[in-house]
Amino acid sequence: MQYRAPRGTNDILPADVWRWQALEEKFRGICRLAGLSEIRTPGFEETELFTRSIGEVTDIVSKEMYSFQDRSGRDLTLRPEGTAPIVRAWIENNLGAEGLPTKLFYITSIFRYERPQAGRYRQHHQFGVEVIGADDASVDAEMIALAARFLGSVGAAPWTLKINSIGVPASRAVYVQALKESVAGVLGELCASCQARYEKNPLRMLDCKEPKCRELTNDVPDIAEYLDSESAAHFEKVREALTALGLDFEVDPRLVRGFDYYTKTVFEFQVEGLGAQNTVCGGGRYDGLVEELGGPATPAFGFGMGIERLLLTLEQRGATVGEPPRADVFVVRAGEGAQVEGLALAEELRKTGLTADTDYGNRSMKAQMKRAGKSGARLTLILGDDEIASRQVTARDMIAQQQWRLPLEGCAGMVKDYLETAESDQIRRG
RNA sequence: GCGGGUGUAGCUCAGUCGGUUAGAGCGCCAGGUUGUGGCCCUGGAGGCCGGGAGUUCAAGUCUCCUCACUCGCCCCA
């Protein structure tokens, strides 16, 4: 074994890829039902797009980006998050001209240079949505509800939905000041990373996991007290709408998120079973980002959902979505004389829309039957010297363990009819 | 970047106090059945015991280094 997949990356093998496809189709379906359109953006962007949007001091920008220069010296970065590229594409292609809001979804890879562990990889994949051009709290609630409906439909329950409002930059600055003042006295007792956060990213002190820090920051001021009136009203409407939609949620005044561009609403869906990780979906409102990136002042809302984390959650729940692929028909070609005729038969079957597989190398009947069994095919068609001579084919129902002969000419249609009947019989019997 | 754990067959793992030719189950291939899958039986292929150095008469086993994987910290999906 010489080459390996790079650290923190994974091959998605045939044994698993059907699970991915099933989730992707489900997500697409749910997004389309809500009026969202799919968008795909490049795998890399100008580095500055991310440093401007995510924030210079965040960990993603300061130590986790896969950045490089191309052969003509352009500074580029593999997409470390989903939102900024879409906002860039929205501005660049003037998507807003078609009427607001623009409702988008995506399924994509994300790259971050991190130490891998359970539920965390250097390349991972996300489902996401972005609704650009509406400040209505209905959008926040609708998209959170969409995430919940999707998670529920694939079997990810139970989860905890946490929401918070972090206000607008001006109100947040006031709050951060109050926060710093209130912990200044105990600063020396906080953990080393909280002491660093105090200077660089004070809000993050709120969700430190250290019990000691938790205790010391216990009666720190509540961000809700510092919200501007518009943010407070918006948050109230979001909560009302979520309640009206029948969603259980928890207001967590300590919920903060890693990107600088968030305003007002932030939320996370948290689940058990992801190792040290617990967020399967997170997002919020980013009313300043479009303008920050050079577009017109435009409010927006979005979320990202980790596909690997979702899969881990489903596995832990014992939930499966979709089915592994299997053949409808397996063609056994016994003897030299049946090789070409058998290939032609398989092609005929495929033309009718049936999945047909076969074995190669003219192996023994036993070996071919064994492979037929493994293929999951309901029906095996056997073509040997006898069949060729009589222009017939032997059909074997692998479940009923019965076999009979059919005329070779035109048998594909009969096979299709038989399988449709057999399947419906099976459904009727349960 | 910093800690802990684990590296033996394609996969999951045994391997005693350091001892002679390194094992099992599953999977794969073949045969038992010269045209019939699953169950059963028999046989076969498949190993740089992660890599390097050291200790020893002798190392899969002990020591050190290194690499990889993995779990956790930081942070995030």
Side-chain angles (χ1 to χ4, degrees), chain A residues 357-371:
Chain A
D357 203 357
T358 189
D359 189 47
Y360 306 96
N362 194 17
R363 297 197 304 154
S364 71
M365 170 81 44
K366 178 171 177 165
Q368 293 194 53
M369 286 304 294
K370 198 172 171 184
R371 182 141 302 181

Side-chain angles (χ1 to χ4, degrees), chain A residues 13-335:
Chain A
L13 299 173
D16 294 310
V17 78
W18 57 272
R19 297 178 193 278
W20 286 73
Q21 291 167 337
L23 285 183
E24 288 162 8
E25 284 318 300
K26 199 119 203 170
F27 185 72
R28 279 200 176 91
I30 280 180
C31 286
R32 287 194 190 115
L33 289 176
L36 312 193
S37 304
E38 183 164 356
I39 184 169
R40 304 185 190 191
T41 63
F44 53 87
E45 298 272 355
E46 283 180 51
T47 296
E48 195 185 325
L49 175 69
F50 299 116
T51 55
R52 281 287 285 281
S53 59
I54 302 171
E56 299 274 3
V57 301
T58 60
D59 276 25
I60 287 184
V61 167
S62 62
K63 61 181 195 187
E64 295 179 358
M65 295 206 302
Y66 274 96
S67 297
F68 60 97
Q69 285 193 337
D70 72 6
R71 287 170 186 276
S72 42
R74 282 180 276 257
D75 288 309
L76 302 171
T77 294
L78 261 35
R79 169 175 43 227
E81 69 102 27
T83 299
I86 287 171
V87 170
R88 191 226 85 227
W90 184 87
I91 297 168
E92 179 175 344
N93 297 285
N94 200 18
L95 294 184
E98 291 163 29
L100 297 178
T102 311
K103 302 171 76 178
L104 302 168
F105 75 92
Y106 59 87
I107 303 173
T108 198
S109 331
I110 303 285
F111 303 87
R112 290 179 202 164
Y113 187 87
E114 305 182 88
R115 280 293 289 268
Q117 65 187 68
R120 215 180 63 189
Y121 311 97
R122 289 188 170 177
Q123 177 179 8
H124 77 273
H125 299 79
Q126 290 187 13
F127 296 131
V129 310
E130 313 292 347
V131 176
I132 304 173
D135 60 6
D136 192 329
S138 304
V139 170
D140 308 35
E142 186 182 31
M143 291 304 115
I144 292 172
L146 182 151
R149 187 159 62 254
F150 174 66
L151 289 170
S153 77
V154 298
W159 62 71
T160 304
L161 168 58
K162 292 191 173 173
I163 65 170
N164 191 24
S165 177
I166 58 171
V168 297
S171 72
R172 192 155 60 243
V174 177
Y175 173 68
V176 164
Q177 196 51 44
L179 177 62
K180 288 176 78 169
E181 280 166 17
S182 90
V183 299
V186 293
L187 187 55
E189 299 170 59
L190 294 174
C191 72
S193 46
C194 274
Q195 295 192 23
R197 287 168 182 143
Y198 179 86
E199 292 301 336
K200 296 174 76 175
N201 200 349
L203 283 182
R204 295 227 70 95
M205 291 189 296
L206 292 175
D207 65 354
C208 182
K209 287 173 188 166
E210 284 293 324
K212 186 181 57 186
C213 295
R214 282 279 183 193
E215 203 186 315
L216 289 168
T217 60
N218 211 13
D219 22 65
V220 113
D222 188 336
I223 194 168
E225 314 283 329
Y226 287 78
L227 290 183
D228 55 288
S229 59
E230 193 197 320
S231 292
H234 183 92
F235 193 37
E236 176 64 28
K237 284 183 194 163
V238 171
R239 284 177 292 170
E240 274 174 24
L242 289 175
T243 302
L245 293 173
L247 287 174
D248 289 328
F249 60 89
E250 205 175 289
V251 173
D252 181 355
R254 290 181 160 238
L255 179 66
V256 293
R257 295 193 48 74
F259 306 141
D260 284 359
Y261 54 64
Y262 282 117
T263 56
K264 299 182 179 172
T265 314
V266 294
F267 74 97
E268 285 185 5
F269 284 86
Q270 301 182 350
V271 296
E272 303 281 325
L274 293 179
Q277 270 54 243
N278 60 8
T279 304
V280 70
C281 174
R285 182 160 279 285
Y286 48 94
D287 288 347
L289 181 60
V290 178
E291 188 173 20
E292 171 71 25
L293 293 180
T298 308
F301 184 94
F303 68 72
M305 183 182 295
I307 302 181
E308 283 84 353
R309 287 188 183 177
L310 178 56
L311 250 2
L312 279 175
T313 304
L314 297 188
E315 188 182 351
Q316 194 264 344
R317 304 276 192 269
T320 53
V321 179
E323 285 178 9
R326 62 179 186 84
D328 295 314
V329 184
F330 196 93
V331 178
V332 167
R333 299 179 292 158

Side-chain angles (χ1 to χ4, degrees), chain A residues 331-333 337-347 349 358 383 388:
Chain A
V331 178
V332 167
R333 299 179 292 158
Q339 296 303 306
V340 172
E341 293 264 22
L343 267 193
L345 175 55
E347 287 290 284
L349 292 162
T358 189
L383 210 53
I388 298 292

